Amino acid sequence: MSKKLVVGLSGNLTRPSKTKAFVSHIAGEVASRAGAALSIFDIEDLGPSFPLAKKHDDLDPAARAIVEQVLGADALVVGSPTFKGSYTGLFKHFFDLLDPSSLRGKPVILAATGGGERHSLVVEHQLRPLFGFFEAQTLPTAIYASDKDFADGVLVSEAVQARARQAVAEACRVAGVPYSVVRAA
């Protein structure tokens, strides 16, 4: 059996962000429970060739290496960028460059953060474009956390933590991690 890999992909990791913390927390849980290696990437890690790329081969070697890790992942945790940010289009562009069939059957957790009163807007506008990509390949799980669910960038809401644990358990089940490993963690 090959070593498992969990990949987290988020918006802007170059400055503190709740989405980064959320993706790192969830991806870390999946990796820990699955006994998998963990890689966390930022959309900006793809470099200057990425926005202009029309296909996978147009990317520079560093960006191609990231794409290969995403395609080779046993589970993905994708953090939607900020509601008003331009990263939503870049995320869609990233997934447009991938071969969707390579993600077939893999667990995907989509994570969004945003203002407390905008829950439905955040989920609709941030996650729907990504859901469209994943729906045909797998059954993605979406988790939302509002600003009030964090204190100093740390997830403190027990309700959101419970939803995250459920998503992690489901991702592990889909990835073929035995239930006893999930319970033990």
Side-chain angles (χ1 to χ4, degrees):
M1 177 196 243
S2 64
K3 181 76 171 155
K4 292 192 176 294
L5 173 66
V6 175
V7 172
L9 181 67
S10 188
N12 186 358
L13 302 186
T14 60
R15 62 180 185 265
S17 91
K18 292 179 185 82
T19 303
K20 173 190 175 183
F22 204 28
V23 167
S24 297
H25 172 80
I26 294 168
E29 284 291 313
V30 175
S32 172
R33 293 175 186 206
L38 174 65
S39 292
I40 302 285
F41 297 107
D42 170 25
I43 202 75
E44 291 180 347
D45 292 339
L46 293 164
S49 69
F50 163 67
L52 303 174
K54 300 286 187 219
K55 57 188 187 300
H56 179 268
D57 293 341
D58 295 339
L59 296 169
D60 62 40
R64 256 185 266 138
I66 292 171
V67 169
E68 294 305 320
Q69 283 204 42
V70 169
L71 292 174
D74 294 285
L76 290 173
V77 179
V78 179
S80 182
T82 58
F83 179 69
K84 294 179 181 175
S86 62
Y87 287 106
T88 301
L90 290 177
F91 262 52
K92 183 172 181 334
H93 179 63
F94 177 78
F95 289 107
D96 286 345
L97 292 176
L98 300 183
D99 173 10
S101 65
S102 63
L103 298 171
R104 187 166 285 124
K106 294 182 183 183
V108 176
I109 299 173
L110 301 175
T113 59
E117 300 304 314
R118 298 187 320 192
H119 177 187
S120 62
L121 286 176
V122 170
V123 171
E124 184 64 27
H125 292 285
Q126 290 183 260
L127 298 182
R128 276 297 146 206
L130 299 179
F131 255 102
F133 176 84
F134 289 114
E135 273 178 328
Q137 309 308 322
T138 187
L139 294 174
T141 300
I143 303 175
Y144 168 79
S146 72
D147 291 341
K148 65 181 174 32
D149 295 325
F150 293 87
D152 296 325
V154 176
L155 183 63
V156 294
S157 167
E158 290 182 22
V160 175
Q161 289 175 1
R163 288 195 307 271
R165 282 191 298 274
Q166 288 175 330
V168 167
E170 176 64 11
C172 289
R173 184 193 66 75
V174 172
V177 176
Y179 183 71
S180 59
V181 173
V182 174
R183 281 190 76 196

